[in-house]
């Protein structure tokens, strides 16, 4: 099993498609949206690596005093913090602003991010975030993920079994492909 496979992602905002590098060039203030298992965590780790930054979960970031300034802030799983505490985004963004960040990139489940959250981001950070959505993995990417985790297995046979149980909607989810 190859656990180091990473497929560069494409994202969309208002009909414009971005590669990861184009996204970083387009804005320093980004909110990445996708449903569970869509690849937000791996994307944020990739963006952090590209920016030479640390990656943190929202629950951790909201409760830790940050003692560095002028560096990128990359925070995953805002939605998990929001479930625990409605004011979580306020605490998270207050911690972020203290660091005078060069970038602020956070992720959330699409269903958990609302216009009020966008407004709160703008109020705290002083910039409206670029809201982007992850593209689902296409069939060739699904095959690559499956084959990296189930070496020697046939993706087409797997697809047939998935169809037999009417689970095709789960194929773009990388976590499903790893099972």
């Amino acid at each position: 099993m190859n656990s180091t496979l990473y497929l560069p992602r494409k994202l969309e905002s208002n009909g414009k498609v971005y590669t990861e590098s184009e996204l970083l060039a387009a804005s320093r203030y980004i909110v990445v949206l996708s449903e569970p298992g869509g690849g937000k965590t791996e994307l944020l780790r990739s963006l952090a690596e590209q920016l030479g930054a640390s990656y943190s979960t929202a629950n951790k970031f909201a409760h830790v005093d940050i003692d560095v300034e002028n560096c990128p802030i990359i925070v995953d799983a805002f939605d998990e913090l929001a479930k625990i505490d409605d004011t979580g985004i306020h605490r998270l963004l207050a911690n972020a602003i203290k660091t005078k960040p060069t970038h602020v990139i956070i992720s959330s489940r699409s269903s958990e991010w609302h216009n009020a959250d966008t407004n709160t981001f703008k109020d705290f950070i002083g910039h409206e975030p670029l809201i982007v959505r992850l593209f689902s993995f296409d069939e060739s990417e699904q095959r690559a993920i499956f084959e990296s985790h189930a070496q020697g297995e046939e993706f087409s046979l797997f697809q047939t079994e998935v169809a037999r149980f009417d689970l095709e909607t789960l194929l773009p989810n990388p976590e499903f492909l790893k099972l």
Side-chain angles (χ1 to χ4, degrees):
M1 179 164 90
N2 178 5
S3 62
T4 61
L5 175 73
Y6 179 75
L7 300 172
R9 301 305 301 271
K10 290 196 177 178
L11 304 103
E12 181 273 331
S13 179
N14 296 320
K16 181 163 175 47
V17 177
Y18 297 91
T19 64
E20 292 178 27
S21 59
E22 290 168 340
L23 178 66
L24 293 175
S27 181
R28 296 183 303 143
Y29 309 99
I30 301 166
V31 175
V32 175
L33 302 178
S34 180
E35 287 312 313
K40 296 180 297 292
T41 297
E42 292 305 316
L43 170 67
L44 262 62
R45 288 179 189 204
S46 174
L47 296 176
E49 184 177 317
Q50 292 176 56
L51 291 171
S54 297
Y55 157 94
S56 179
T57 63
N59 284 324
K60 180 179 176 185
F61 187 84
H63 294 95
V64 173
D65 287 329
I66 309 298
D67 60 356
V68 294
E69 290 186 355
N70 300 311
C71 64
I73 301 294
I74 314 291
V75 181
D76 189 21
F78 160 74
D79 50 290
E80 293 174 14
L81 176 64
K83 284 182 183 180
I84 297 168
D85 179 3
D86 288 342
T87 63
I89 192 171
H90 298 98
R91 188 171 48 255
L92 185 148
L93 294 172
N95 273 357
I97 197 92
K98 289 179 197 175
T99 70
K100 301 177 182 126
T102 61
H103 296 74
V104 178
I105 302 173
I106 64 176
S107 75
S108 177
R109 292 179 180 179
S110 303
S111 60
E112 301 295 324
W113 187 265
H114 307 286
N115 287 337
D117 299 318
T118 301
N119 292 334
T120 300
F121 186 108
K122 185 178 177 182
D123 289 346
F124 273 83
I125 303 299
H127 299 275
E128 186 153 342
L130 174 60
I131 309 290
V132 294
R133 286 174 170 62
L134 271 170
F135 272 98
S136 297
F137 287 109
D138 64 25
E139 186 174 333
S140 66
E141 293 167 323
Q142 294 167 23
R143 179 181 305 278
I145 294 166
F146 176 83
E147 290 175 352
S148 77
H149 291 279
Q151 293 177 352
E153 299 291 325
E154 281 292 323
F155 183 66
S156 58
L157 295 175
F158 176 71
Q159 282 180 304
T160 301
E161 285 300 300
V162 167
R164 191 166 73 99
F165 291 100
D166 202 25
L167 297 173
E168 296 94 340
T169 59
L170 297 175
L171 279 172
N173 185 318
E175 294 303 316
F176 177 71
L177 295 166
K178 292 174 187 176
L179 294 174

